[in-house]
Amino acid sequence: MKRKSLRVLVCALLASLALTTFAFADSGPKPQLTVRVKNAPQEPYYLDLLAEGNWDASEGNSRLKQSTVITNSDGSETTVDVDAILPGQVLRVRPGESIPVDGVVIKGSGSLDTSALTGESVPQTVSENSIVLSGAINLSSVLYIRAEKEFYDSTVAKILDMVENASAKKAKAENFITRFARYYTPAVVITAVVLAILPPLVIDMRSGAVWISWLNRALTFLVISCPCALVISVPMSFFGGIGCASRKGILFKGTSYLELIDKANIFVFDKTGTLTKGTFDVKKVIPAENRDEILRVACIAESGSLHPIAKSIYKAYGKSVDSSEYQITERSGRGMEATGPEGRILCGSGRLLVENGVAIIPVEEVGSVVYVAKDGQYLGAILIADTVRDDAKEVIKELKAQGAKTVMLTGDNEKYARAVAEEVGIDDFKFGLLPADKVVEMEAIMENKGKKDKVVYVGDGVNDAPVLMRADVGVSMGGVGSDSAVEASDMVLMHDNLTGLVSARKISKKTLKLAYENIVFILLVKAVVLILGAQGLASMWLAVFADVGVAVLATLNSM
């Protein structure tokens, strides 16, 4: 009977050793729950650059080999791959297309959307001899651009390189259960070995009965210490937290980031599209009593324009206007001019009106100002700006109340950056940053942080991708965010609400609390039964309860 019992215990020993040794073994990167979000609006080819898992620059670059049109010296046009463009060649870029390589405008004028690259919310006006960057989107008329660089030396390719370099520098987040196992696994194995060898040596090393008795106790000890309860219940706590977050529109790409978000105490934000809505809205019409008339006249002059400012004026007026009898002319870099039944209408910068002999009343408020005049008479001004998100101020206030430091990095100018920072309550801000500058600023933050500090970066544009990769936790806006930002991030706010940051921290805190509760409960029960087992007072049934029974109870608590 004793031999049969010994065989059972030996089998239990082998199973326990296998579970104890391998369940927690740190044999390289742990598989993470990966979520790929692709519900953002379709974007130009250069935005969708990052592959799932380990990203490789060569793979990203191969996906950028799209075709573009070059204009030959004889007037004919040829379609070539982007990486075949050479300096000096002339490129044709139509409205809605992105500029493939850095260059100089040699013919045409219009507006470029550079927000994804620089964070600058106001479109860039370009004309002949203007320098343009690859990745900017043409908003208005056809542009002919002389290539100044090859693709691999252009702005977009450099962003790709920065993403790869930032990814290599990012610290690998380690799960709690892995850290715990580093001490638990060797401790129980060594204790069991000591329990099997040391007492017989002290009591009576020549007695076979003594050796068998203490071997039985050591085997029972290992069965009790089997880590099944920890292996099952702790991950269940984190998966439950991830599920809870997903129901609130917050997607985590790994359990490690769910743990880190609660420990974060430095939050760095992009401005355009993150703290602000990223869209232009009419904030004020001056004077307010002539609002409808000023907007109506401006809509006539802006008829047919695709410029974001023009669209915001249409939206604010909310009515249709008949401009069929007007001759409309675009004054490059200045605004629009319309001539018709109501006379001559000027709509644009103050410079346009002053050059045409119309005195204006300057508006000093932050934003883009559109001045309007009709038949030589000044009518008023329209203040247009990118508005702050409704929840931004409250979220920043709550983060600061929790002891977190807040920073804003933006490509916008100082005037706009300061206005937004003061409105939402940001502690510090940096302005006029290109993608490379943002990475430099993030590197400085990472180097100067404390040993226990964790940095979160929140952004939405292509220029944010390298910084998202570099931060301890990268957070992207899933709805308005670019594909590259979503791919580079560790957490996605699907509803584009910054309140998701606060909710994520609450979920993280609750998840960690459940995990610690389970660990304390499991270890407490096991400790009591282990002591009994070491003294020979614990039966095999009690050992099974300390393993399987506790695992069931802890799992139920996690759910």
Side-chain angles (χ1 to χ4, degrees), residues 319-442:
K319 304 173 186 176
S320 60
V321 294
D322 183 9
S323 59
S324 58
E325 298 182 18
Y326 287 84
Q327 181 179 350
I328 300 174
T329 306
E330 180 178 356
R331 301 301 180 190
S332 179
R334 295 175 174 81
M336 305 293 289
E337 178 183 334
T339 305
E342 296 184 51
R344 187 181 180 212
I345 297 173
L346 297 175
C347 179
S349 66
R351 180 181 173 185
L352 174 66
L353 273 67
V354 170
E355 288 178 349
N356 286 274
V358 180
I360 64 171
I361 302 175
V363 176
E364 301 298 334
E365 297 183 46
V366 176
S368 298
V369 182
V370 177
Y371 295 94
V372 183
K374 183 174 72 173
D375 260 352
Q377 297 297 315
Y378 176 67
L379 295 183
I382 304 171
L383 180 64
I384 299 170
D386 185 8
T387 55
V388 171
R389 289 184 181 275
D390 299 332
D391 55 356
K393 187 174 182 179
E394 189 61 33
V395 168
I396 297 298
K397 181 180 178 181
E398 188 157 351
L399 290 175
K400 292 172 71 173
Q402 296 172 2
K405 178 184 177 182
T406 56
V407 182
M408 182 179 75
L409 304 180
T410 178
D412 231 331
N413 60 51
E414 182 179 7
K415 183 179 178 181
Y416 286 97
R418 186 177 298 278
V420 172
E422 291 177 352
E423 184 174 352
V424 302
I426 290 287
D427 294 323
D428 190 19
F429 68 93
K430 303 291 182 182
F431 59 90
L433 304 177
L434 291 173
D437 301 325
K438 280 193 173 184
V439 174
V440 171
E441 291 294 339
M442 176 56 74

Side-chain angles (χ1 to χ4, degrees), residues 4-122:
K4 183 176 180 181
S5 175
L6 184 59
R7 284 198 298 270
V8 171
L9 286 173
V10 169
C11 292
L13 169 63
L14 295 175
S16 297
L17 283 173
L19 285 169
T20 305
T21 304
F22 298 111
F24 289 133
D26 188 7
S27 57
K30 299 294 186 295
Q32 297 287 329
L33 177 64
T34 301
V35 181
R36 180 176 173 87
V37 182
K38 295 290 290 181
N39 73 327
Q42 183 62 38
E43 300 182 64
Y45 63 85
Y46 63 90
L47 301 188
D48 187 15
L49 309 175
L50 300 176
E52 294 184 43
N54 293 324
W55 182 80
D56 179 69
S58 61
E59 181 179 353
N61 285 336
S62 69
R63 297 173 63 185
L64 288 172
K65 296 179 180 179
Q66 306 292 324
S67 59
T68 192
V69 174
I70 63 172
T71 302
N72 301 315
S73 56
D74 60 1
S76 62
E77 295 182 343
T78 306
T79 301
V80 299
D81 289 338
V82 169
D83 58 357
I85 297 175
L86 299 174
Q89 291 181 323
V90 177
L91 317 176
R92 184 200 68 198
V93 182
R94 292 174 174 172
E97 295 179 345
S98 59
I99 298 173
V101 297
D102 297 351
V104 176
V105 177
I106 61 171
K107 181 180 179 182
S109 61
S111 300
L112 301 179
D113 179 3
T114 61
S115 59
L117 290 171
T118 65
E120 176 72 52
S121 54
V122 180

